[in-house]
Amino acid sequence: MANSKLYKGSLTTIILKLLNESDKMYGYEMTQKVKTITKGELNITEGALYPALHKLEADGLLDVEVKKVDNRLRKYYKLTDKGNKETVSKLEELKGYIKTMETFMNPKFNLE
């Protein structure tokens, strides 16, 4: 699934879920966490991640905190109150989608 386009529509939900489970994270940390959780099946590229983070920030869902780490500036992202509410909504939406796809993939026909 590393090269699949399926996850792209879920990238926002993935980011929100990660940040919902952590106080704050930086971009590279997010990519590595996803890789670890999925045992390497899902790789989020920086080219996909950072535009999504910037959009979420522009939409008021994320706050950004810049810290100096090892003589480098690192951006940490965390959810705003609006981001927390959106996370709940996006996760419910994804659960519904997965349920629909499971029904589609494994239909149980009633022949009565």
Side-chain angles (χ1 to χ4, degrees):
M1 190 162 142
N3 296 320
S4 175
K5 294 181 182 181
L6 288 175
Y7 86 90
K8 288 184 183 180
S10 301
L11 183 55
T12 295
T13 306
I14 291 168
I15 293 168
L16 294 174
K17 173 81 168 139
L18 287 172
L19 292 173
N20 185 254
E21 294 177 348
S22 300
D23 179 40
K24 60 187 173 190
M25 297 179 84
Y26 58 95
Y28 180 75
E29 182 181 16
M30 290 181 206
T31 64
Q32 296 309 298
K33 182 80 171 183
V34 168
K35 190 182 290 187
T36 300
I37 290 169
T38 65
K39 296 180 173 69
E41 289 294 316
L42 185 59
N43 294 304
I44 297 176
T45 65
E46 291 179 8
L49 178 65
Y50 288 103
L53 287 170
H54 295 150
K55 181 174 182 345
L56 290 168
E57 180 185 3
D59 291 345
L61 303 178
L62 300 182
D63 276 334
V64 178
E65 180 182 336
V66 179
K67 285 189 175 183
K68 192 170 187 177
V69 178
D70 298 328
N71 276 341
R72 295 182 47 194
L73 294 179
R74 180 179 286 168
K75 283 186 175 183
Y76 286 89
Y77 299 89
K78 67 181 194 173
L79 294 173
T80 62
D81 288 339
K82 183 179 176 183
N84 281 312
K85 291 175 187 167
E86 184 68 11
T87 300
V88 171
S89 174
K90 287 288 189 185
L91 290 174
E92 286 302 315
E93 182 181 318
L94 183 59
K95 285 177 189 175
Y97 174 76
I98 290 169
K99 184 177 178 181
T100 299
M101 291 308 293
E102 285 176 345
T103 300
F104 177 75
M105 297 301 293
N106 298 302
K108 294 183 173 105
F109 295 105
N110 185 353
L111 299 176
E112 294 180 42

